[in-house]
Amino acid sequence: MDTFQQVSVVPKDREALVAPQRQRRSIAEKRRIVEETLVEGASVARVARVHGINANQVFGWCRLYLGGRLGDRKPAMKLLPVRVSESLPTPLPVERSSADFSKPQPGTIHIELRQAQVHIEGNADPALVRVLLECLRA
């Protein structure tokens, strides 16, 4: 059994210089560091190293941030304003059977964006509309 122990002796007057100081970071600073990790291609470990923080601490801040407990967060999705215009009188509610829901009802969708206008008439395939809108978003 090895009983060798390495002991270092530090004089009392130098003890304060050797002991690491605990850093306190503001909520805004924590939020800014977490937002750096959310950039595409960013590494949490690299961001933590740049700021001199343990990566586990940054992961903890990320959980708080995503849970909405680290102040304001940037929304993951931007909502667009919607204007509903009524061109025909509102039809009276009619009870439908489950067979009626399988057939799409004809209608008109008009979407105005900065870079394009989309006008869809009749029965539109929801998957096709989604692909179209995702292409316009890029």
Side-chain angles (χ1 to χ4, degrees):
M1 183 166 135
D2 188 15
T3 58
F4 177 77
Q5 290 183 353
Q6 188 173 2
V7 178
S8 61
V9 178
V10 179
K12 280 193 168 211
D13 59 339
R14 296 194 52 168
E15 190 174 319
L17 298 175
V18 175
Q21 292 284 328
R22 185 177 193 151
Q23 281 191 325
R24 302 279 183 194
R25 302 203 184 253
S26 69
I27 298 288
E29 188 176 5
K30 291 177 187 177
R31 190 173 48 246
R32 185 179 51 77
I33 291 169
V34 168
E35 288 172 353
E36 284 180 35
T37 67
L38 299 176
V39 174
E40 188 175 334
S43 163
V44 173
R46 237 181 257 129
V47 171
R49 201 174 316 129
V50 166
H51 292 284
I53 306 168
N54 185 303
N56 291 326
Q57 181 67 64
V58 177
F59 278 115
W61 293 345
C62 286
R63 280 191 299 276
L64 292 174
Y65 180 87
L66 294 174
R69 298 188 335 234
L70 198 58
D72 295 333
R73 68 176 184 172
K74 291 183 179 177
M77 184 183 326
K78 184 178 179 183
L79 299 178
L80 300 173
V82 175
R83 184 182 67 211
V84 178
S85 63
E86 190 175 321
S87 57
L88 298 174
T90 306
L92 296 173
V94 177
E95 285 189 35
R96 294 182 173 183
S97 67
S98 60
D100 290 339
F101 288 111
S102 62
K103 294 183 249 172
Q105 299 298 317
T108 302
I109 300 173
H110 185 77
I111 302 171
E112 292 181 34
L113 304 170
R114 278 187 223 148
Q115 70 272 23
Q117 290 187 0
V118 179
H119 192 75
I120 303 169
E121 292 186 16
N123 297 333
D125 179 22
L128 180 62
V129 173
R130 173 177 283 180
V131 169
L132 173 69
L133 293 176
E134 285 175 357
C135 288
L136 289 173
R137 186 176 73 178

